[in-house]
């Protein structure tokens, strides 16, 4: 089985109160030098069979219609290689 990762982030122009709360808390915890924090979501999908163009198109459709609110969020779809091998391919950005 292959793993496909969908990362969902608020668009840059959308206010991110959770990210701002984390950013404000960091100096109080002794972590300096962080100018901005954005909060997001990560979905890991285990795909049966090969991750070909048709499978990636279907996952892109899932991300666009179900995993992300494309009015306020962007998403990316990545295929992860075998364990510890990193990302094999980047397929799509919304």
């Amino acid at each position: 089985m292959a793993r496909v990762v969908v990362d969902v982030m608020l668009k840059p122009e959308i206010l991110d109160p959770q990210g701002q709360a984390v950013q404000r808390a960091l100096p109080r915890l002794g972590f300096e030098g962080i100018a901005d924090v954005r909060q997001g979501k990560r979905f890991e999908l285990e795909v049966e069979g090969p991750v070909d163009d048709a499978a990636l198109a279907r996952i892109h459709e899932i991300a666009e219609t179900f995993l992300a609110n494309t009015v306020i969020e962007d998403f990316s779809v990545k295929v992860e290689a075998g364990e510890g091998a990193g990302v094999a391919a980047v397929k799509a950005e919304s």
Side-chain angles (χ1 to χ4, degrees), residues 5-16:
V5 175
V6 179
D7 288 312
V8 180
M9 294 291 295
L10 288 169
K11 291 183 177 183
E13 62 272 16
I14 302 298
L15 182 66
D16 183 357

Side-chain angles (χ1 to χ4, degrees), residues 2-92:
R3 175 177 293 158
V4 178
V5 175
V6 179
D7 288 312
V8 180
M9 294 291 295
L10 288 169
K11 291 183 177 183
E13 62 272 16
I14 302 298
L15 182 66
D16 183 357
Q18 186 174 357
Q20 289 177 340
V22 170
Q23 191 271 328
R24 285 191 307 268
L26 290 174
R28 292 192 308 266
L29 298 171
F31 299 103
E32 300 293 333
I34 304 300
D36 192 26
V37 175
R38 302 289 290 176
Q39 174 266 329
K41 300 178 278 190
R42 174 183 167 106
F43 298 92
E44 296 181 358
L45 292 80
E46 296 291 331
V47 179
E48 295 177 351
V51 181
D52 54 14
D53 287 340
L56 285 172
R58 184 74 175 142
I59 291 168
H60 190 277
E61 181 182 5
I62 291 168
E64 192 169 43
T65 59
F66 184 64
L67 301 179
N69 176 350
T70 57
V71 173
I72 62 169
E73 295 173 319
D74 291 324
F75 67 90
S76 65
V77 176
K78 296 175 268 224
V79 179
E80 284 193 347
E83 213 167 297
V87 174
V90 174
K91 172 61 179 167

